[in-house]
Amino acid sequence: MDKKPQHSGAPRPTHNTSAPRPQGSGTPRPQGTFGSRPAGTGTRPGGGGSPRPGGFSGPRPGGARPAAGSRPPFQGPRMPRKEEPYAINDRIRAREVRVVGDNVENGVYPIQQALKMADELELDLVEISPTAQPPVCKILDYSKFLYQQKKRLKEQKAKATKVVVKEIRFGPQTDDHDYNFKLKHAQSFLQEGSKVKAYVFFKGRSILFKEQGEVLLLRFANDLEELGKVEQMPVLEGKRMIIMISPKKK
């Protein structure tokens, strides 16, 4: 059995770690090793794509930039331009027009002369009847003219009454108590200006009594003679026989 050599008691030499390391003495790290990045390329090792400023790669935020000369992306439908209801001033295409209006001599004039007349009065030349031969134009304040028309249309809508139709249902064998109750309702409807649509509903085999239903509706119209007039005589539509009564004008 071999014996291990015994070390002598001489002290082991030690290294001074606090001494400064000479510059340039270290071994240079080879290019292309792990953790290195090629200088000036701006790309990661092993990565694809074009270099980006700042050393970032990948797609451009917000999508690709459109090519030069290409149209911008579609932004949705455009709102249609509101056209003027009348042709005015330079938009009038006729060569001569018939001029009417206040403080002017009515007659047929060349379009340029008519425009000059309107300009002298500091008003507009408005084509109010384009289908006439020649077209009829009026000298007036166009803004005021549109305002008056809008106001007149609003007044007409306010005066127009909406037609309200009230329905009253009968059976082919309605008793007198039920009949008189519904007659009073019909009278109040006609007095307030509403139309009355009365009908007899035939259920099942009760269609055999359609003549009885017609007599009932004619009696109903006769009892309302002072307040309303028959607009439609009894007509059978499917399972219903209908009569229309409209209020009389006061």
Side-chain angles (χ1 to χ4, degrees), residues 71 90 94 122 145 151 185 192 216:
R71 298 180 62 182
D90 295 336
E122 297 183 354
F145 173 69
K151 184 178 179 181
H185 277 285
E192 68 184 21
L216 176 64

Side-chain angles (χ1 to χ4, degrees), residues 15-17 59 70 90 106 117 134 136 140 148 158 188 202 205-206:
H15 297 282
N16 187 6
T17 58
S70 62
D90 295 336
N106 298 346
M117 295 168 59
V136 179
L140 45 78
Q148 290 176 347
S188 62
F202 300 100
R205 295 177 61 86
S206 63

Side-chain angles (χ1 to χ4, degrees), residues 71-78:
R71 298 180 62 182
F74 181 66
Q75 300 294 337
R78 294 182 178 180

Side-chain angles (χ1 to χ4, degrees), residues 12 16 32 43 47 57 76 98 117 134 141 143 153 155 165 168 175 189 197 200 204 208 234:
R12 179 180 293 181
N16 187 6
T43 58
S57 62
R98 183 178 299 278
M117 295 168 59
D141 186 340
S143 299
L153 183 61
E155 291 175 353
V165 179
I168 294 181
D175 56 22
F189 294 152
K197 180 180 181 181
V200 178
L208 300 175

Side-chain angles (χ1 to χ4, degrees), residues 142-158:
Y142 185 58
S143 299
K144 186 177 180 180
F145 173 69
L146 289 180
Y147 173 76
Q148 290 176 347
Q149 277 202 331
K150 186 176 180 180
K151 184 178 179 181
R152 191 180 303 113
L153 183 61
K154 188 176 180 179
E155 291 175 353
Q156 290 177 354
K157 288 183 178 180

Side-chain angles (χ1 to χ4, degrees), residues 39-111:
T41 60
T43 58
R44 296 182 183 275
S50 303
R52 293 266 313 279
F56 296 98
S57 62
R60 185 182 300 274
R65 180 179 298 174
S70 62
R71 298 180 62 182
F74 181 66
Q75 300 294 337
R78 294 182 178 180
M79 295 298 293
R81 184 177 179 181
K82 186 177 180 180
E83 298 182 357
E84 294 288 345
Y86 298 93
I88 63 172
N89 300 330
D90 295 336
R91 297 180 183 178
I92 301 174
R93 300 304 180 189
R95 294 184 178 180
E96 60 179 15
V97 294
R98 183 178 299 278
V99 178
V100 296
D102 300 331
N103 301 324
V104 296
E105 185 177 351
N106 298 346
V108 178
Y109 297 91
I111 183 62

